[in-house]
Amino acid sequence: METIVFVGAGSMAEAIIAGMVVRNTEDAKRIYVMNKSDDDRLDYMQSRYGISIVCPERKALKFADMIVLATKPKDIRQAMAEIAPHLNDHTAALSVIAGTPIKTIEQGLGMRPIARSMPNTSATIGKSASGIAMNSKVDQRCKDQFIQLLSSIGIVKEVREEDLHAVTALSGSGPAYVYYLVEALEEAAIDKGLSKEIARELIIQTLDGAASMLKMTGEDPITLRQNVTSPGGTTEAGLNALETRKFKQTIAECIDSAEGRSRELGALS
């Protein structure tokens, strides 16, 4: 079993830890967590997941097989400066920090096996969709370890580092877009007289069913959409309203804005 240290204890670190522990892919006793200053947060993580807290002497870092960088982008350089003196030469590093390029991590931690990934918060239930890119120091064994960790919380696709900006915009931020859609559908349904409880159950089942149809049938979404859309029917009327409001253009602008912000964060790292 590997010793894994999470540097940062925010929502992404918790989502990954929860996914790993709940699915029993790693021994909780071999998972450590540290952050900048919030002891209450560390106590909560230890109590809920049975993991360990990195002591002030940073002993866990000396024996870590892998560290997971999960700080806020603005804190990464300070965090690396603090942990770098304690790491052994063979410790691999996995970053889940939006926008931070591999070269920045190499500068902060030295040349070692480094991977950069962007999971999403669905990792908590083992349903993340992650992209990953790696540097030249990652051998096949280390690559398998990175993939295994991320596979324990969902699916993972290897991409070029340049493409991680698009992955961040699409699947990294994607759950928020879906939740926002649910908010809009729910508000519209309530406005038409449905109760919040009934509306939410119908919406959740509709999303689940549509996602399952895409996954299980392998059909193109255009085909599935056309199968639902009868000429002159209710679905066509609804889709016409979306087209009038330039729905696809809005989605494109959403992805473009998120990708642009990822690049900005990378430039600041």
Side-chain angles (χ1 to χ4, degrees):
M1 299 295 290
E2 291 188 330
T3 296
I4 302 174
V5 177
F6 282 77
V7 182
S11 58
M12 182 54 68
E14 182 177 4
I16 297 172
I17 290 169
M20 294 167 64
V21 171
V22 170
R23 300 183 73 183
N24 296 317
T25 59
E26 296 288 343
D27 182 354
K29 294 180 181 178
R30 304 282 287 184
I31 300 174
Y32 291 77
V33 64
M34 58 181 287
N35 68 0
K36 186 167 59 175
S37 59
D38 192 345
D39 291 338
D40 289 340
R41 177 68 175 170
L42 294 177
D43 290 340
Y44 156 78
M45 298 277 278
Q46 182 180 46
S47 174
R48 178 156 188 177
Y49 302 107
I51 61 177
S52 302
I53 298 173
V54 176
C55 67
E57 293 76 23
R58 305 308 191 212
K59 291 181 180 179
L61 290 171
K62 299 180 186 297
F63 304 103
D65 298 292
M66 183 187 302
I67 59 169
V68 180
L69 300 172
T71 67
K72 295 178 180 179
K74 66 180 180 64
D75 296 328
I76 181 57
R77 287 189 181 274
Q78 180 182 341
M80 291 193 297
E82 178 183 346
I83 67 175
H86 302 283
L87 296 176
N88 68 66
D89 293 338
H90 305 293
T91 302
L94 171 64
S95 170
V96 295
I97 303 170
T100 302
I102 288 174
K103 67 178 182 180
T104 297
I105 302 168
E106 291 174 339
Q107 292 166 357
L109 299 180
M111 287 301 296
R112 63 179 64 246
I114 295 171
R116 174 182 165 196
S117 181
M118 188 75 271
N120 61 39
T121 52
S122 299
T124 304
I125 58 170
K127 295 289 187 179
S128 179
S130 309
I132 188 172
M134 305 171 223
N135 72 353
S136 60
K137 298 290 284 185
V138 175
D139 59 18
Q140 188 60 50
R141 178 177 175 276
C142 189
K143 176 179 177 179
D144 291 342
Q145 291 172 333
F146 285 135
I147 297 295
Q148 181 181 1
L149 185 151
L150 292 171
S151 295
S152 73
I153 56 170
I155 67 166
V156 54
K157 299 295 180 182
E158 186 176 2
V159 298
R160 300 178 307 159
E161 184 176 15
E162 174 67 16
D163 294 333
L164 279 176
H165 296 294
V167 171
T168 298
L170 180 65
S171 58
S173 300
Y177 312 151
V178 175
Y179 301 145
Y180 195 52
L181 172 63
V182 171
E183 288 180 54
L185 289 170
E186 198 172 271
E187 290 171 7
I190 292 171
D191 187 57
K192 295 302 179 184
L194 291 178
S195 70
K196 182 175 184 178
E197 292 73 19
I198 289 176
R200 182 167 298 180
E201 286 190 31
L202 291 173
I203 292 166
I204 291 172
Q205 184 62 25
T206 300
L207 290 173
D208 184 51
S212 296
M213 284 288 287
L214 283 165
K215 188 172 184 177
M216 296 173 67
T217 67
E219 291 281 3
D220 192 282
I222 294 175
T223 300
L224 292 174
R225 171 174 59 79
Q226 291 173 339
N227 289 343
V228 181
T229 310
S230 301
T234 58
T235 305
E236 184 179 69
L239 289 171
N240 286 341
L242 290 177
E243 289 185 7
T244 298
R245 296 292 183 177
K246 301 185 184 302
F247 181 75
K248 285 188 176 181
Q249 181 179 325
T250 300
I251 295 298
E253 291 174 359
C254 167
I255 298 298
D256 186 61
S257 294
E259 184 197 33
R261 182 55 179 160
S262 178
R263 293 183 184 277
E264 289 174 1
L265 290 172
L268 294 172
S269 298

